[in-house]
Amino acid sequence: MNELAKSKWFRIGFAIITILLIIYLVNLVGFIFTPITIIVTTLFAPIAIAGVLYYLLRPVLTIFAKYVPRALAILIIYLLGIGLIVGLVFIVGPPLSEQFNSLINNMPGIFDELSSMVTNLQQSDWFKSVQQSQDFSYKDIAERLTDFLQGAVDSIGSNVVSLISLLTNIAIVIVTIPFVLFYMLKDGHKLPDVFLRFTPEEFRPESKKVLQDMDTALSSYIQGQIIVSFCVGVLLYIGYIIIGLEYTIVLAIVAMLTNVIPFIGPFIGTIPAIIVGFIDSPITALLVIAVVIAVQQFESNFISPQVMGKKLAVHPLTIIFLLLVAASFAGVLGLLMAVPTYAVGKAIVVNAYRFITIRNRYNDKKI
């Protein structure tokens, strides 16, 4: 019996049973964790957004802090940021507002045009032959699309209170972010020392290495992804202007925002531009695809290697699997958080193994 208890597989089985038992007991008293869930979901958005801004502004703060006190440097960055936002509003705001309003006003016509195209496709001889050969029937796609849009409008109208509540929460988050960001920039460099106080003296060098690798993984990903997405947005804007596409600023911003999501983001951002181009003419849609392919090739071969480098060292197939799982669990938020979370987790696991190895060697020497 003692030999069985000491065996490797017995210990693994006992550990699995213990974990499952803990999960079962936690599920029975799940109501206890409801307040914690509310707190986490409430604080997640301002902390996550402030964290992204922290990694973007930290290099600038490091430069300014060499010449002025840290708090004053943060205030200078805030003033420069406000000036940049105001400048963008005056420069980009009018054409962006004009194109956005034009897109909203023309949206019924766009959907009517798409419905007409779908109807013509359904009535074509090719479609009928495919339908007969495959021996199945199609519902009217145009009607389904119209019903969906009508349902969405009715849903918005019947949930005005929820919409107002959502807008209020967004406003609170926007107001909260500058304060959270200020203290992150002011005291963020002290955080590793706080963690190291809870670590034995002999393990602090390795623990510090773990924290540095986590910080490097996050900063390299966030800074690199934002810069790459901005470059892609600018290049697509130029390309859309060259081919004469409508709503260039709106479509370029959509592509820039979706490009933050690895692999599938560029495809998502391309769909609206292809639709707008196809409504104009099939040739324009092909030109949009050509522009997107050219920009993505330039980004993957020239921009990303210079900006992102190989710091994350995550295989593309791993990223695809991560995105599939994350999208199933958390939707769009999961797509955004999957890769940086994996990068931090990988840094923790790799360095934890190194940490345990060093600790075992240290204990062997003491013995």
Side-chain angles (χ1 to χ4, degrees):
M1 186 67 181
N2 291 333
E3 293 181 359
L4 178 63
K6 293 180 180 179
S7 67
K8 174 182 177 182
W9 294 109
F10 179 84
R11 294 198 302 269
I12 294 175
F14 182 77
I16 293 174
I17 293 173
T18 304
I19 293 172
L20 293 176
L21 181 61
I22 292 173
I23 294 174
Y24 175 73
L25 294 176
V26 169
N27 187 50
L28 291 179
V29 294
F31 61 90
I32 297 177
F33 301 97
T34 301
I36 300 176
T37 304
I38 295 174
I39 293 173
V40 171
T41 53
T42 303
L43 298 179
F44 177 80
I47 292 177
I49 297 174
V52 172
L53 295 175
Y54 166 76
Y55 279 109
L56 290 177
L57 298 177
R58 188 174 63 175
V60 181
L61 176 63
T62 302
I63 296 174
F64 284 177
K66 295 179 181 179
Y67 307 101
V68 295
R70 198 173 186 87
L72 180 59
I74 297 172
L75 293 177
I76 293 174
I77 291 175
Y78 272 33
L79 292 175
L80 292 175
I82 293 173
L84 179 62
I85 292 173
V86 171
L88 288 175
V89 168
F90 277 102
I91 296 173
V92 183
L96 176 61
S97 177
E98 180 182 352
Q99 290 187 15
F100 186 77
N101 291 332
S102 175
L103 179 60
I104 295 299
N105 294 331
N106 294 330
M107 193 67 72
I110 292 175
F111 282 116
D112 289 342
E113 185 70 23
L114 287 176
S115 300
S116 176
M117 289 181 178
V118 172
T119 303
N120 293 334
L121 178 62
Q122 287 180 305
Q123 294 175 352
S124 65
D125 296 336
W126 174 83
F127 189 88
K128 292 179 180 179
S129 63
V130 171
Q131 183 176 354
Q132 293 174 357
S133 63
Q134 295 298 326
D135 194 24
F136 64 89
S137 61
Y138 288 85
K139 291 184 179 180
D140 192 341
I141 300 176
E143 290 182 1
R144 294 179 62 185
L145 180 61
T146 304
D147 293 341
F148 172 77
L149 294 174
Q150 186 63 41
V153 173
D154 294 340
S155 176
I156 293 175
S158 62
N159 294 282
V160 176
V161 176
S162 301
L163 181 61
I164 294 175
S165 176
L166 175 62
L167 295 176
T168 303
N169 292 334
I170 292 174
I172 293 174
V173 169
I174 292 175
V175 172
T176 306
I177 287 173
F179 297 98
V180 178
L181 177 60
F182 178 85
Y183 287 103
M184 280 187 175
L185 292 171
K186 183 175 179 294
D187 300 323
H189 63 291
K190 300 178 182 178
L191 194 59
D193 294 332
V194 175
F195 284 114
L196 291 176
R197 291 177 186 174
F198 301 97
T199 307
E201 185 71 30
E202 61 271 19
F203 300 136
R204 287 184 181 177
E206 192 63 24
S207 300
K208 187 175 182 179
K209 180 65 168 58
V210 173
L211 295 176
Q212 289 175 346
D213 286 352
M214 290 171 55
D215 183 73
T216 301
L218 269 176
S219 62
S220 62
Y221 177 79
I222 292 174
Q223 294 172 5
Q225 199 69 22
I226 296 297
I227 294 172
V228 169
S229 297
F230 177 78
C231 293
V232 168
V234 172
L235 292 174
L236 286 176
Y237 172 70
I238 296 173
Y240 291 162
I241 289 178
I242 293 174
I243 65 175
L245 190 67
E246 293 185 286
Y247 317 117
T248 51
I249 299 179
V250 175
L251 295 174
I253 291 177
V254 170
M256 180 178 65
L257 295 177
T258 56
N259 196 80
V260 176
I261 303 173
F263 286 99
I264 64 174
F267 295 101
I268 297 174
T270 302
I271 293 174
I274 294 176
I275 292 174
V276 172
F278 188 73
I279 290 174
D280 181 55
S281 71
I283 299 298
T284 305
L286 292 176
L287 290 175
V288 169
I289 295 174
V291 167
V292 171
I293 292 175
V295 170
Q296 290 299 326
Q297 288 296 317
F298 184 79
E299 177 265 328
S300 60
N301 289 288
F302 296 98
I303 300 177
S304 287
Q306 299 298 324
V307 176
M308 299 289 287
K310 301 294 184 180
K311 293 181 180 179
L312 283 181
V314 182
H315 195 276
L317 189 60
T318 303
I319 294 179
I320 293 174
F321 289 152
L322 284 172
L323 294 176
L324 291 174
V325 175
S328 300
F329 276 101
V332 177
L333 183 61
L335 293 175
L336 294 174
M337 299 301 297
V339 177
T341 302
Y342 173 81
V344 173
K346 181 181 178 181
I348 294 175
V349 171
V350 170
N351 289 281
Y353 176 78
R354 191 188 315 166
F355 178 84
I356 294 172
T357 303
I358 292 177
R359 185 187 64 180
N360 292 336
R361 291 177 181 175
Y362 177 82
N363 292 334
D364 292 341
K365 289 181 179 179
K366 289 180 64 176
I367 296 174

